[in-house]
Amino acid sequence: MKIASTPLPLQNLHLFQARPAGFMCQMSLLNPLTRPVATCSISLSEKQQTSTELTRLHLANLEKLLQKPATPPNQLDPQTLHKDSKNNGPMENKGKGRLEGLNLTRLWPEVKASEQMSPRNFNRLQRLLSKTNEYSPRNNLGSRWREYHGSNHWKGLLDPLDENLRREVVRYGEFVQAAYQSFHSNPTMSEDGPPSPHQVVLPDRSYKLTKSLYATSSIGLPKWVDEMAPDLGWMTQRSSWIGYVAVCDDKREIQRMGRRDIIIALRGTATCLEWAENVRAQLVQIQEDNDDNSIDPTQRQSKVECGFLSLHKTSGSHVPSLADSVVEEIQRLMDLYKDETLSITVTGHSLGAALALLVADEIGTRALNVPPVAVFSFGGPRVGNKAFANRMNAQNVKVLRIVNSQDVITKVPGVFVGEELDQKLRNTRVGAVVDMLEKNMPLEYYSHVGTELRVDTKMSPYLKPNADMACCHDLEAYLHLVDGFLASDVPFRENAKRSLGRLLQDQRSNVKKLYTRKAKALTLNLESDRLTMSGCLPSPT
């Protein structure tokens, strides 16, 4: 049976009996007046009086100690805390981890960074290795939305990367992921009649889908190809679903963004005929003049890749061309919301990034009273020549190209020469030679359009520095790198939010073995999208 202890009043101390004569007097940390002796050889009365006084002094010192206010954590001596941690810490921290009760993030900020990046941090790995994404907060863009939409070519926002722009770039990339997922879930398309409505699960519920988009190749494969592989007919179909148009339909999100946003999302290459169009790399005029002298000379000089233009302009048997379909839908939405502030955002990956430029150019050329148009492209190839880039700048179309330094696709078509080197060559004595070669060898002188946000696979602590070409071009790898990017001369963001689950699923061979082993140890279940290890805490999201 437990007996509750109560504090003893100081005036009742004389009621206690003296301790036995053989009691060994020990030094008290709270009573420095006591002296260690071998044996207390004093009389009973003297012993009682001495014991009473020492006990009284002991309790008085203890009372002062308990009444003393606790020292704030930021004023504690780290050496003292280190000693206390070895002694299992204060009473209230017993039963916990040694350092769990200490506010190390305020004492040693560098400890926090190293611990969060360390693979030994179980809770962080549990979240990162789950497939649940934790997003950075969506701040109110308000009056700055035009700046984030590229009105000033994102000057001062890229290096270091502004946190609001990072969140917007990742969000637009996820709209492209939705286009990939929707196509792969239903790639077939009948040539006998109009396509059925395509179901798309949008990553943002504040948007609603308004139109499906289709791209058609101007070339075709022999019928015997379909006869040999009837189950892969979708690989050889001329027309394929390639993306969608969606519009923000949530009042709270419209208020946060400062306008109603219209998104056009386009996926990358998926069918055989789309791959065939990709390699048709000769430059052709974007607009046939037919000897019309009223056309601006700059329009005659604007040239783009033949295969991209084919997918953009060709009509299918039961679907309009991508160009006509986009312009028609954008004009309808502008008329529907003519009294509101609007913006148009075109986003795409790989082939979709190339078509995004052509779509933005088409909108700027054919639509009336066009609101601000911006393109966010991921891993996009070169599309046209320098005249085409000047044409888009004249239409006030803003382009932000997210480029991975290790991604080969961003360096083709044309020679493997960066934009900076090309500009340096033009400013030297060989500039005239370069101009001559550009006129006589147009294939070699493609030019990128817009502003560049450059990331690098080697900056990620999770990906192998020698990751293969597929990983360097993968859209999820792009979003992973953008989410962790702080600046060109700064390491990967230690508090990056994006999950590694999908990256592990698609690019496991390119993820460092340290993290694949941790994923295995945590029994990561990529199919059920949850961790099956007992005792694991759920993801913070």
Side-chain angles (χ1 to χ4, degrees):
M1 181 178 68
K2 294 184 179 180
I3 302 177
S5 61
T6 57
L8 180 67
L10 296 180
Q11 61 270 21
N12 295 332
L13 290 176
H14 66 280
L15 299 178
F16 278 86
Q17 297 294 330
R19 285 172 289 185
F23 180 80
M24 300 296 295
C25 297
Q26 300 293 338
M27 171 73 76
S28 172
L29 295 178
L30 295 175
N31 187 8
L33 297 179
T34 57
R35 298 184 301 274
V37 294
T39 306
C40 297
S41 57
I42 57 177
S43 63
L44 181 61
S45 59
E46 290 177 344
K47 186 195 310 181
Q48 181 176 359
Q49 183 179 1
T50 303
S51 176
T52 301
E53 291 176 354
L54 293 179
T55 305
R56 187 189 303 274
L57 180 60
H58 174 83
L59 292 179
N61 290 338
L62 180 60
E63 184 177 6
K64 291 179 181 180
L65 179 64
L66 296 177
Q67 291 178 354
K68 184 178 180 180
T71 306
N74 57 353
Q75 298 180 3
L76 293 177
D77 184 8
Q79 295 182 356
T80 304
L81 288 176
H82 182 66
K83 292 179 180 179
D84 289 342
S85 64
K86 292 183 178 180
N87 296 327
N88 293 331
M91 184 66 68
E92 61 271 17
N93 291 330
K94 287 187 176 181
K96 301 182 180 180
R98 290 184 174 182
L99 300 180
E100 186 177 349
L102 301 180
N103 192 353
L104 296 181
T105 60
R106 299 180 64 179
L107 294 173
W108 303 296
E110 64 275 8
V111 173
K112 178 182 178 182
S114 62
E115 283 299 318
Q116 287 195 348
M117 290 303 296
S118 170
R120 293 189 298 270
N121 190 315
F122 181 84
N123 290 333
R124 174 170 172 76
L125 278 180
Q126 178 182 328
R127 179 181 66 78
L128 287 177
L129 295 175
S130 70
K131 291 181 66 179
T132 304
N133 286 325
E134 180 185 356
Y135 299 109
S136 301
R138 292 188 182 183
N139 297 324
N140 194 321
L141 303 183
S143 59
R144 297 188 61 191
W145 75 265
R146 294 181 184 274
E147 183 180 358
Y148 289 112
H149 206 247
S151 62
N152 196 27
H153 302 281
W154 296 278
K155 185 177 180 180
L157 299 177
L158 299 178
D159 196 2
L161 182 59
D162 183 88
E163 63 175 357
N164 293 325
L165 180 59
R166 176 192 294 112
R167 182 66 190 90
E168 292 299 294
V169 170
V170 172
R171 186 170 68 94
Y172 290 134
E174 290 174 342
F175 278 100
V176 182
Q177 282 186 330
Y180 273 113
Q181 294 168 0
S182 180
F183 173 77
H184 290 304
S185 65
N186 184 23
T188 59
M189 179 177 167
S190 174
E191 298 290 342
D192 299 330
S196 57
H198 215 90
Q199 301 297 324
V200 182
V201 180
L202 298 179
D204 192 331
R205 295 183 180 180
S206 59
Y207 283 77
K208 69 175 182 180
L209 186 141
T210 63
K211 191 176 186 65
S212 290
L213 303 176
Y214 299 85
T216 303
S217 172
S218 60
I219 59 179
L221 294 178
K223 292 184 178 180
W224 59 265
V225 176
D226 292 336
E227 295 175 356
M228 291 183 61
D231 296 336
L232 297 179
W234 64 271
M235 288 289 291
T236 59
Q237 61 191 16
R238 293 185 63 241
S239 297
S240 298
W241 188 91
I242 199 166
Y244 59 89
V245 180
V247 61
C248 185
D249 197 40
D250 182 82
K251 293 182 179 179
R252 182 175 298 179
E253 183 67 4
I254 293 173
Q255 183 179 7
R256 183 194 72 85
M257 294 190 298
R259 85 283 189 191
R260 185 187 293 270
D261 189 33
I262 301 172
I263 283 184
I264 303 169
L266 303 170
R267 62 164 176 83
T269 308
T271 69
C272 287
L273 294 183
E274 289 169 359
W275 281 108
E277 295 285 17
N278 286 343
V279 298
R280 298 174 64 189
Q282 65 271 24
L283 283 169
V284 296
Q285 286 188 354
I286 192 172
Q287 182 174 350
E288 297 181 1
D289 52 26
N290 296 324
D291 297 328
D292 187 356
N293 295 327
S294 63
I295 297 179
D296 190 342
T298 58
Q299 302 286 346
R300 304 175 190 267
Q301 299 173 1
S302 299
K303 296 181 179 181
V304 296
E305 201 242 35
C306 176
F308 298 155
L309 188 63
S310 170
L311 292 170
H312 179 62
K313 289 286 192 180
T314 305
S315 301
S317 56
H318 298 285
V319 293
S321 68
L322 176 62
D324 293 338
S325 183
V326 166
V327 172
E328 178 185 358
E329 180 63 12
I330 292 299
Q331 192 66 59
R332 184 187 73 83
L333 293 175
M334 289 192 301
D335 294 339
L336 180 62
Y337 303 110
K338 59 183 178 180
D339 297 328
E340 301 183 30
T341 302
L342 298 176
S343 70
I344 298 176
T345 305
V346 191
T347 181
H349 171 250
S350 191
L351 170 64
L355 294 177
L357 293 178
L358 297 178
V359 164
D361 174 76
E362 196 77 26
I363 294 173
T365 303
R366 294 174 54 185
L368 302 176
N369 301 320
V370 180
V373 180
V375 177
F376 291 81
S377 69
F378 299 85
R382 296 181 179 124
V383 176
N385 59 3
K386 189 68 175 179
F388 173 68
N390 296 335
R391 168 189 169 111
M392 295 203 67
N393 292 332
Q395 294 175 351
N396 204 29
V397 175
K398 309 301 180 183
V399 179
L400 180 61
R401 296 183 300 108
I402 297 89
V403 176
N404 183 356
S405 297
Q406 311 302 318
D407 187 1
V408 178
I409 302 300
T410 61
K411 303 174 184 178
V412 296
V415 295
F416 288 79
V417 177
E419 303 302 308
E420 295 181 1
L421 179 58
D422 179 78
Q423 188 62 38
K424 290 180 180 179
L425 290 176
R426 293 176 185 273
N427 294 334
T428 61
R429 295 180 180 180
V430 299
V433 178
V434 173
D435 293 337
M436 182 189 67
L437 292 175
E438 184 176 10
K439 293 180 180 179
N440 294 280
M441 301 176 63
L443 175 62
E444 304 296 335
Y445 286 93
Y446 277 82
S447 178
H448 275 303
V449 182
T451 306
E452 179 182 276
L453 171 60
R454 182 168 290 272
V455 295
D456 196 324
T457 304
K458 296 181 180 179
M459 294 183 65
S460 171
Y462 307 103
L463 293 174
K464 294 179 180 178
N466 60 341
D468 58 33
M469 186 175 68
C471 177
C472 295
H473 187 61
D474 182 64
L475 178 57
E476 180 59 34
Y478 264 91
L479 299 185
H480 165 71
L481 294 174
V482 171
D483 186 58
F485 182 79
L486 284 174
S488 56
D489 56 348
V490 176
F492 202 81
R493 187 165 69 114
E494 55 91 12
N495 60 339
K497 303 293 184 180
R498 195 163 187 82
S499 168
L500 295 177
R502 187 162 182 170
L503 200 62
L504 275 168
Q505 183 180 23
D506 298 338
Q507 301 293 336
R508 178 174 289 268
S509 61
N510 292 292
V511 178
K512 291 182 179 178
K513 293 183 179 180
L514 176 66
Y515 298 99
T516 56
R517 287 199 303 265
K518 288 293 182 181
K520 186 177 181 179
L522 291 171
T523 61
L524 181 65
N525 189 345
L526 293 173
E527 297 298 328
S528 61
D529 195 14
R530 61 182 295 181
L531 290 168
T532 59
M533 180 176 177
S534 60
C536 290
L537 296 175
S539 171
T541 56

